[in-house]
Amino acid sequence: MNNLQISSRQLSELFWELVCKEHFMYQGQSNELLKKLKQLEYLVDQATYKTGSISSVSGLMLYYITKYFHPKRILEVGTYIGKSTISMAYAMDENKTKNSYIATCDASNDIKLPWKGNTKINQYKSSTSTVMMENEKEKFDFIFLDGRLQKEDIKFLDKLCHEKTIFVLDDFEGIEKGVVNLIAIRNIPVFKRYFLIKPPSSSFLKKINPFSESCPTAIFLPLSLIHFANQG
């Protein structure tokens, strides 16, 4: 008997189709989000250290991932001007998630984000990821890594995660920080039963991306979140 073989690329393509399905039905919310992300560009002038921000399409993907999985608590490493933070907070507000919370840190900058929504954003300004993880006591449903994990962070991840915590990895290409972060996470025994969802393909992005931008965002997904449905 042969097993049914499903490659990482095949599952990744299906993942993005399902997660972004709402885009093809309701584009009003995403267009509003894109306007908000564009408005954040003025904050670059306030940055002490200009690191570069995520692309608009990466922000849109974060928005759809958050909308789909309904996390209540998010931990983010790498705030900068807040494009990723606002994308996730915007989705949490649309989901009407009660007591929604985002903890986010930036080791180099102390920019205050202009957020007035219901989701609470706790900024660790000019603070390392280790400082943030030391101070956070409750577990998170969703961890977005837009900065390189420090060696000291690894010991906190088990404390801050549960069996269904999703990891989202930015800059997942070549030897960039997203790949380095995945290697570090995979060495932790509790994260052995996870599957890598690769960044959306260029052909998929052409369907929803009017900006001709890339999206080097990968997902490290718990196998316990994958369920087979009889109908669909």
mmCIF file of all heavy atoms in Angstrom, residues 86-127:
data_model
loop_
_atom_site.group_PDB
_atom_site.id
_atom_site.type_symbol
_atom_site.label_atom_id
_atom_site.label_comp_id
_atom_site.label_asym_id
_atom_site.label_seq_id
_atom_site.Cartn_x
_atom_site.Cartn_y
_atom_site.Cartn_z
ATOM 1 N N ILE A 86 -0.553 46.795 13.188
ATOM 2 C CA ILE A 86 -1.869 47.343 12.833
ATOM 3 C C ILE A 86 -2.659 46.352 11.991
ATOM 4 O O ILE A 86 -3.883 46.222 12.151
ATOM 5 C CB ILE A 86 -1.706 48.683 12.088
ATOM 6 C CG1 ILE A 86 -1.009 49.725 12.976
ATOM 7 C CG2 ILE A 86 -3.054 49.199 11.599
ATOM 8 C CD1 ILE A 86 -1.715 50.050 14.268
ATOM 9 N N SER A 87 -1.989 45.631 11.095
ATOM 10 C CA SER A 87 -2.686 44.636 10.263
ATOM 11 C C SER A 87 -3.361 43.579 11.124
ATOM 12 O O SER A 87 -4.518 43.209 10.898
ATOM 13 C CB SER A 87 -1.696 43.966 9.301
ATOM 14 O OG SER A 87 -1.159 44.893 8.392
ATOM 15 N N MET A 88 -2.637 43.097 12.127
ATOM 16 C CA MET A 88 -3.187 42.061 13.000
ATOM 17 C C MET A 88 -4.262 42.627 13.929
ATOM 18 O O MET A 88 -5.307 41.998 14.145
ATOM 19 C CB MET A 88 -2.058 41.406 13.796
ATOM 20 C CG MET A 88 -1.064 40.661 12.930
ATOM 21 S SD MET A 88 0.249 39.795 13.825
ATOM 22 C CE MET A 88 1.221 41.181 14.468
ATOM 23 N N ALA A 89 -4.025 43.823 14.463
ATOM 24 C CA ALA A 89 -5.006 44.446 15.355
ATOM 25 C C ALA A 89 -6.307 44.746 14.609
ATOM 26 O O ALA A 89 -7.409 44.578 15.149
ATOM 27 C CB ALA A 89 -4.425 45.720 15.959
ATOM 28 N N TYR A 90 -6.183 45.194 13.374
ATOM 29 C CA TYR A 90 -7.349 45.497 12.548
ATOM 30 C C TYR A 90 -8.203 44.239 12.354
ATOM 31 O O TYR A 90 -9.431 44.281 12.452
ATOM 32 C CB TYR A 90 -6.864 46.045 11.207
ATOM 33 C CG TYR A 90 -7.917 46.689 10.345
ATOM 34 C CD1 TYR A 90 -8.542 47.873 10.728
ATOM 35 C CD2 TYR A 90 -8.280 46.133 9.113
ATOM 36 C CE1 TYR A 90 -9.498 48.472 9.918
ATOM 37 C CE2 TYR A 90 -9.236 46.719 8.301
ATOM 38 C CZ TYR A 90 -9.841 47.899 8.710
ATOM 39 O OH TYR A 90 -10.791 48.491 7.918
ATOM 40 N N ALA A 91 -7.539 43.105 12.106
ATOM 41 C CA ALA A 91 -8.268 41.835 11.934
ATOM 42 C C ALA A 91 -8.920 41.397 13.233
ATOM 43 O O ALA A 91 -10.058 40.902 13.240
ATOM 44 C CB ALA A 91 -7.303 40.758 11.436
ATOM 45 N N MET A 92 -8.225 41.562 14.359
ATOM 46 C CA MET A 92 -8.784 41.177 15.654
ATOM 47 C C MET A 92 -10.017 42.013 15.975
ATOM 48 O O MET A 92 -11.013 41.498 16.509
ATOM 49 C CB MET A 92 -7.728 41.325 16.744
ATOM 50 C CG MET A 92 -6.566 40.357 16.590
ATOM 51 S SD MET A 92 -5.208 40.690 17.725
ATOM 52 C CE MET A 92 -5.599 39.545 19.059
ATOM 53 N N ASP A 93 -9.971 43.292 15.647
ATOM 54 C CA ASP A 93 -11.140 44.146 15.865
ATOM 55 C C ASP A 93 -12.307 43.702 14.982
ATOM 56 O O ASP A 93 -13.464 43.667 15.426
ATOM 57 C CB ASP A 93 -10.790 45.602 15.575
ATOM 58 C CG ASP A 93 -10.231 46.324 16.799
ATOM 59 O OD1 ASP A 93 -9.784 45.650 17.747
ATOM 60 O OD2 ASP A 93 -10.246 47.574 16.814
ATOM 61 N N GLU A 94 -12.025 43.368 13.732
ATOM 62 C CA GLU A 94 -13.090 42.914 12.832
ATOM 63 C C GLU A 94 -13.694 41.592 13.299
ATOM 64 O O GLU A 94 -14.888 41.346 13.128
ATOM 65 C CB GLU A 94 -12.551 42.770 11.409
ATOM 66 C CG GLU A 94 -12.379 44.101 10.697
ATOM 67 C CD GLU A 94 -12.159 43.923 9.214
ATOM 68 O OE1 GLU A 94 -12.129 42.773 8.738
ATOM 69 O OE2 GLU A 94 -12.002 44.950 8.533
ATOM 70 N N ASN A 95 -12.857 40.756 13.893
ATOM 71 C CA ASN A 95 -13.346 39.485 14.441
ATOM 72 C C ASN A 95 -14.142 39.671 15.728
ATOM 73 O O ASN A 95 -14.724 38.711 16.235
ATOM 74 C CB ASN A 95 -12.172 38.542 14.721
ATOM 75 C CG ASN A 95 -11.597 37.922 13.464
ATOM 76 O OD1 ASN A 95 -12.226 37.920 12.409
ATOM 77 N ND2 ASN A 95 -10.387 37.388 13.564
ATOM 78 N N LYS A 96 -14.108 40.899 16.261
ATOM 79 C CA LYS A 96 -14.761 41.202 17.538
ATOM 80 C C LYS A 96 -14.242 40.280 18.655
ATOM 81 O O LYS A 96 -15.006 39.786 19.496
ATOM 82 C CB LYS A 96 -16.279 41.102 17.417
ATOM 83 C CG LYS A 96 -16.886 42.160 16.500
ATOM 84 C CD LYS A 96 -18.398 42.039 16.429
ATOM 85 C CE LYS A 96 -19.023 43.236 15.703
ATOM 86 N NZ LYS A 96 -18.502 43.467 14.352
ATOM 87 N N THR A 97 -12.923 40.046 18.640
ATOM 88 C CA THR A 97 -12.293 39.200 19.640
ATOM 89 C C THR A 97 -12.277 39.902 20.987
ATOM 90 O O THR A 97 -11.744 41.006 21.112
ATOM 91 C CB THR A 97 -10.843 38.869 19.222
ATOM 92 O OG1 THR A 97 -10.868 38.281 17.916
ATOM 93 C CG2 THR A 97 -10.208 37.896 20.199
ATOM 94 N N LYS A 98 -12.871 39.284 22.005
ATOM 95 C CA LYS A 98 -12.917 39.891 23.327
ATOM 96 C C LYS A 98 -11.545 39.844 23.997
ATOM 97 O O LYS A 98 -10.836 38.847 23.908
ATOM 98 C CB LYS A 98 -13.943 39.179 24.209
ATOM 99 C CG LYS A 98 -15.383 39.370 23.748
ATOM 100 C CD LYS A 98 -16.354 38.696 24.713
ATOM 101 C CE LYS A 98 -17.797 38.924 24.275
ATOM 102 N NZ LYS A 98 -18.755 38.267 25.197
ATOM 103 N N ASN A 99 -11.196 40.942 24.652
ATOM 104 C CA ASN A 99 -9.922 41.043 25.375
ATOM 105 C C ASN A 99 -8.723 40.719 24.484
ATOM 106 O O ASN A 99 -7.740 40.121 24.930
ATOM 107 C CB ASN A 99 -9.919 40.122 26.605
ATOM 108 C CG ASN A 99 -11.038 40.439 27.570
ATOM 109 O OD1 ASN A 99 -11.299 41.599 27.876
ATOM 110 N ND2 ASN A 99 -11.718 39.411 28.052
ATOM 111 N N SER A 100 -8.808 41.106 23.199
ATOM 112 C CA SER A 100 -7.701 40.856 22.271
ATOM 113 C C SER A 100 -6.492 41.690 22.674
ATOM 114 O O SER A 100 -6.614 42.832 23.127
ATOM 115 C CB SER A 100 -8.121 41.175 20.842
ATOM 116 O OG SER A 100 -8.693 42.466 20.740
ATOM 117 N N TYR A 101 -5.306 41.097 22.484
ATOM 118 C CA TYR A 101 -4.080 41.687 23.036
ATOM 119 C C TYR A 101 -2.894 41.385 22.134
ATOM 120 O O TYR A 101 -2.721 40.246 21.671
ATOM 121 C CB TYR A 101 -3.842 41.101 24.429
ATOM 122 C CG TYR A 101 -2.549 41.500 25.105
ATOM 123 C CD1 TYR A 101 -2.407 42.737 25.726
ATOM 124 C CD2 TYR A 101 -1.464 40.622 25.135
ATOM 125 C CE1 TYR A 101 -1.216 43.102 26.363
ATOM 126 C CE2 TYR A 101 -0.270 40.965 25.772
ATOM 127 C CZ TYR A 101 -0.160 42.208 26.380
ATOM 128 O OH TYR A 101 1.022 42.552 27.003
ATOM 129 N N ILE A 102 -2.085 42.412 21.877
ATOM 130 C CA ILE A 102 -0.840 42.249 21.138
ATOM 131 C C ILE A 102 0.303 42.829 21.959
ATOM 132 O O ILE A 102 0.249 43.996 22.370
ATOM 133 C CB ILE A 102 -0.886 42.955 19.766
ATOM 134 C CG1 ILE A 102 -1.978 42.364 18.882
ATOM 135 C CG2 ILE A 102 0.480 42.849 19.065
ATOM 136 C CD1 ILE A 102 -2.151 43.084 17.546
ATOM 137 N N ALA A 103 1.318 42.032 22.209
ATOM 138 C CA ALA A 103 2.563 42.511 22.820
ATOM 139 C C ALA A 103 3.594 42.583 21.709
ATOM 140 O O ALA A 103 3.794 41.616 20.964
ATOM 141 C CB ALA A 103 3.030 41.567 23.921
ATOM 142 N N THR A 104 4.257 43.738 21.565
ATOM 143 C CA THR A 104 5.203 43.917 20.469
ATOM 144 C C THR A 104 6.416 44.706 20.942
ATOM 145 O O THR A 104 6.293 45.609 21.780
ATOM 146 C CB THR A 104 4.524 44.623 19.272
ATOM 147 O OG1 THR A 104 5.468 44.774 18.202
ATOM 148 C CG2 THR A 104 3.977 45.987 19.656
ATOM 149 N N CYS A 105 7.578 44.356 20.428
ATOM 150 C CA CYS A 105 8.804 45.024 20.867
ATOM 151 C C CYS A 105 9.636 45.494 19.679
ATOM 152 O O CYS A 105 9.534 44.967 18.572
ATOM 153 C CB CYS A 105 9.645 44.088 21.742
ATOM 154 S SG CYS A 105 10.396 42.712 20.821
ATOM 155 N N ASP A 106 10.443 46.512 19.935
ATOM 156 C CA ASP A 106 11.409 47.004 18.960
ATOM 157 C C ASP A 106 12.662 47.394 19.724
ATOM 158 O O ASP A 106 12.623 48.285 20.577
ATOM 159 C CB ASP A 106 10.846 48.212 18.203
ATOM 160 C CG ASP A 106 11.691 48.588 16.995
ATOM 161 O OD1 ASP A 106 12.932 48.698 17.154
ATOM 162 O OD2 ASP A 106 11.137 48.779 15.905
ATOM 163 N N ALA A 107 13.754 46.727 19.442
ATOM 164 C CA ALA A 107 14.989 46.961 20.192
ATOM 165 C C ALA A 107 15.625 48.301 19.864
ATOM 166 O O ALA A 107 16.383 48.853 20.675
ATOM 167 C CB ALA A 107 15.990 45.841 19.918
ATOM 168 N N SER A 108 15.297 48.876 18.696
ATOM 169 C CA SER A 108 16.011 50.064 18.231
ATOM 170 C C SER A 108 15.195 51.351 18.254
ATOM 171 O O SER A 108 15.758 52.442 18.179
ATOM 172 C CB SER A 108 16.521 49.834 16.801
ATOM 173 O OG SER A 108 17.310 48.670 16.721
ATOM 174 N N ASN A 109 13.877 51.248 18.335
ATOM 175 C CA ASN A 109 13.030 52.439 18.200
ATOM 176 C C ASN A 109 11.985 52.532 19.310
ATOM 177 O O ASN A 109 11.650 51.531 19.950
ATOM 178 C CB ASN A 109 12.322 52.414 16.831
ATOM 179 C CG ASN A 109 13.306 52.516 15.684
ATOM 180 O OD1 ASN A 109 13.964 53.526 15.506
ATOM 181 N ND2 ASN A 109 13.410 51.443 14.898
ATOM 182 N N ASP A 110 11.464 53.752 19.504
ATOM 183 C CA ASP A 110 10.442 53.975 20.532
ATOM 184 C C ASP A 110 9.240 54.720 19.947
ATOM 185 O O ASP A 110 8.666 55.598 20.578
ATOM 186 C CB ASP A 110 11.024 54.735 21.726
ATOM 187 C CG ASP A 110 11.541 56.117 21.341
ATOM 188 O OD1 ASP A 110 11.558 56.446 20.125
ATOM 189 O OD2 ASP A 110 11.911 56.884 22.244
ATOM 190 N N ILE A 111 8.862 54.347 18.731
ATOM 191 C CA ILE A 111 7.757 55.006 18.031
ATOM 192 C C ILE A 111 6.424 54.592 18.646
ATOM 193 O O ILE A 111 6.142 53.399 18.790
ATOM 194 C CB ILE A 111 7.773 54.636 16.541
ATOM 195 C CG1 ILE A 111 9.089 55.083 15.894
ATOM 196 C CG2 ILE A 111 6.581 55.242 15.819
ATOM 197 C CD1 ILE A 111 9.295 54.543 14.489
ATOM 198 N N LYS A 112 5.602 55.562 18.971
ATOM 199 C CA LYS A 112 4.262 55.280 19.500
ATOM 200 C C LYS A 112 3.301 55.089 18.335
ATOM 201 O O LYS A 112 3.163 55.968 17.479
ATOM 202 C CB LYS A 112 3.776 56.415 20.401
ATOM 203 C CG LYS A 112 2.369 56.193 20.966
ATOM 204 C CD LYS A 112 1.972 57.290 21.928
ATOM 205 C CE LYS A 112 0.520 57.126 22.373
ATOM 206 N NZ LYS A 112 0.245 55.810 22.964
ATOM 207 N N LEU A 113 2.632 53.951 18.286
ATOM 208 C CA LEU A 113 1.729 53.669 17.184
ATOM 209 C C LEU A 113 0.396 54.402 17.354
ATOM 210 O O LEU A 113 -0.154 54.443 18.463
ATOM 211 C CB LEU A 113 1.464 52.163 17.083
ATOM 212 C CG LEU A 113 2.691 51.270 16.867
ATOM 213 C CD1 LEU A 113 2.253 49.825 16.679
ATOM 214 C CD2 LEU A 113 3.505 51.732 15.672
ATOM 215 N N PRO A 114 -0.137 54.964 16.276
ATOM 216 C CA PRO A 114 -1.403 55.717 16.339
ATOM 217 C C PRO A 114 -2.608 54.782 16.264
ATOM 218 O O PRO A 114 -3.402 54.844 15.326
ATOM 219 C CB PRO A 114 -1.308 56.623 15.112
ATOM 220 C CG PRO A 114 -0.543 55.804 14.122
ATOM 221 C CD PRO A 114 0.458 55.024 14.928
ATOM 222 N N TRP A 115 -2.769 53.927 17.251
ATOM 223 C CA TRP A 115 -3.851 52.937 17.243
ATOM 224 C C TRP A 115 -4.942 53.354 18.211
ATOM 225 O O TRP A 115 -4.683 53.643 19.383
ATOM 226 C CB TRP A 115 -3.313 51.568 17.620
ATOM 227 C CG TRP A 115 -4.370 50.512 17.809
ATOM 228 C CD1 TRP A 115 -4.750 49.911 18.983
ATOM 229 C CD2 TRP A 115 -5.190 49.927 16.795
ATOM 230 N NE1 TRP A 115 -5.736 48.999 18.756
ATOM 231 C CE2 TRP A 115 -6.037 48.977 17.417
ATOM 232 C CE3 TRP A 115 -5.283 50.111 15.410
ATOM 233 C CZ2 TRP A 115 -6.961 48.224 16.699
ATOM 234 C CZ3 TRP A 115 -6.214 49.349 14.695
ATOM 235 C CH2 TRP A 115 -7.030 48.423 15.342
ATOM 236 N N LYS A 116 -6.193 53.352 17.743
ATOM 237 C CA LYS A 116 -7.330 53.734 18.580
ATOM 238 C C LYS A 116 -8.418 52.674 18.580
ATOM 239 O O LYS A 116 -9.560 52.953 18.963
ATOM 240 C CB LYS A 116 -7.900 55.074 18.096
ATOM 241 C CG LYS A 116 -6.914 56.238 18.210
ATOM 242 C CD LYS A 116 -7.527 57.539 17.736
ATOM 243 C CE LYS A 116 -6.525 58.686 17.853
ATOM 244 N NZ LYS A 116 -7.103 59.967 17.359
ATOM 245 N N GLY A 117 -8.082 51.464 18.187
ATOM 246 C CA GLY A 117 -9.074 50.400 18.135
ATOM 247 C C GLY A 117 -9.281 49.728 19.473
ATOM 248 O O GLY A 117 -8.742 50.150 20.509
ATOM 249 N N ASN A 118 -10.069 48.655 19.479
ATOM 250 C CA ASN A 118 -10.399 47.952 20.719
ATOM 251 C C ASN A 118 -9.291 47.003 21.180
ATOM 252 O O ASN A 118 -9.150 46.745 22.377
ATOM 253 C CB ASN A 118 -11.694 47.148 20.527
ATOM 254 C CG ASN A 118 -12.898 48.057 20.332
ATOM 255 O OD1 ASN A 118 -13.005 49.088 20.972
ATOM 256 N ND2 ASN A 118 -13.793 47.672 19.437
ATOM 257 N N THR A 119 -8.528 46.451 20.240
ATOM 258 C CA THR A 119 -7.440 45.547 20.614
ATOM 259 C C THR A 119 -6.370 46.312 21.387
ATOM 260 O O THR A 119 -5.920 47.375 20.953
ATOM 261 C CB THR A 119 -6.817 44.905 19.364
ATOM 262 O OG1 THR A 119 -7.799 44.075 18.737
ATOM 263 C CG2 THR A 119 -5.593 44.067 19.719
ATOM 264 N N LYS A 120 -5.953 45.766 22.512
ATOM 265 C CA LYS A 120 -4.905 46.413 23.314
ATOM 266 C C LYS A 120 -3.543 46.082 22.723
ATOM 267 O O LYS A 120 -3.209 44.918 22.515
ATOM 268 C CB LYS A 120 -4.960 45.939 24.769
ATOM 269 C CG LYS A 120 -3.882 46.582 25.637
ATOM 270 C CD LYS A 120 -3.930 46.092 27.077
ATOM 271 C CE LYS A 120 -2.807 46.719 27.893
ATOM 272 N NZ LYS A 120 -2.810 46.229 29.304
ATOM 273 N N ILE A 121 -2.760 47.122 22.454
ATOM 274 C CA ILE A 121 -1.392 46.944 21.963
ATOM 275 C C ILE A 121 -0.433 47.412 23.055
ATOM 276 O O ILE A 121 -0.439 48.581 23.442
ATOM 277 C CB ILE A 121 -1.154 47.740 20.665
ATOM 278 C CG1 ILE A 121 -2.063 47.229 19.549
ATOM 279 C CG2 ILE A 121 0.315 47.630 20.245
ATOM 280 C CD1 ILE A 121 -1.935 47.987 18.238
ATOM 281 N N ASN A 122 0.352 46.492 23.546
ATOM 282 C CA ASN A 122 1.343 46.788 24.590
ATOM 283 C C ASN A 122 2.715 46.869 23.927
ATOM 284 O O ASN A 122 3.301 45.854 23.568
ATOM 285 C CB ASN A 122 1.326 45.698 25.662
ATOM 286 C CG ASN A 122 2.288 45.992 26.802
ATOM 287 O OD1 ASN A 122 2.788 47.110 26.946
ATOM 288 N ND2 ASN A 122 2.566 44.993 27.622
ATOM 289 N N GLN A 123 3.205 48.093 23.766
ATOM 290 C CA GLN A 123 4.484 48.293 23.093
ATOM 291 C C GLN A 123 5.650 48.260 24.070
ATOM 292 O O GLN A 123 5.651 48.980 25.074
ATOM 293 C CB GLN A 123 4.494 49.643 22.371
ATOM 294 C CG GLN A 123 3.673 49.684 21.093
ATOM 295 C CD GLN A 123 3.877 50.997 20.360
ATOM 296 O OE1 GLN A 123 2.967 51.827 20.315
ATOM 297 N NE2 GLN A 123 5.063 51.179 19.789
ATOM 298 N N TYR A 124 6.628 47.435 23.756
ATOM 299 C CA TYR A 124 7.897 47.430 24.481
ATOM 300 C C TYR A 124 8.878 48.244 23.631
ATOM 301 O O TYR A 124 9.562 47.706 22.765
ATOM 302 C CB TYR A 124 8.394 46.000 24.688
ATOM 303 C CG TYR A 124 7.610 45.216 25.716
ATOM 304 C CD1 TYR A 124 6.412 44.596 25.386
ATOM 305 C CD2 TYR A 124 8.080 45.088 27.021
ATOM 306 C CE1 TYR A 124 5.686 43.872 26.321
ATOM 307 C CE2 TYR A 124 7.362 44.355 27.971
ATOM 308 C CZ TYR A 124 6.170 43.756 27.612
ATOM 309 O OH TYR A 124 5.451 43.029 28.549
ATOM 310 N N LYS A 125 8.901 49.541 23.882
ATOM 311 C CA LYS A 125 9.720 50.444 23.064
ATOM 312 C C LYS A 125 11.181 50.369 23.476
ATOM 313 O O LYS A 125 11.491 50.295 24.666
ATOM 314 C CB LYS A 125 9.208 51.881 23.215
ATOM 315 C CG LYS A 125 7.752 52.066 22.839
ATOM 316 C CD LYS A 125 7.293 53.469 23.182
ATOM 317 C CE LYS A 125 5.806 53.620 22.988
ATOM 318 N NZ LYS A 125 5.322 54.947 23.464
ATOM 319 N N SER A 126 12.055 50.401 22.488
ATOM 320 C CA SER A 126 13.499 50.309 22.719
ATOM 321 C C SER A 126 13.823 49.144 23.657
ATOM 322 O O SER A 126 14.658 49.262 24.555
ATOM 323 C CB SER A 126 14.035 51.630 23.295
ATOM 324 O OG SER A 126 13.815 52.693 22.402
ATOM 325 N N SER A 127 13.152 48.027 23.432
ATOM 326 C CA SER A 127 13.316 46.850 24.291
ATOM 327 C C SER A 127 13.550 45.616 23.433
ATOM 328 O O SER A 127 12.954 45.461 22.369
ATOM 329 C CB SER A 127 12.086 46.632 25.177
ATOM 330 O OG SER A 127 11.902 47.707 26.068
#
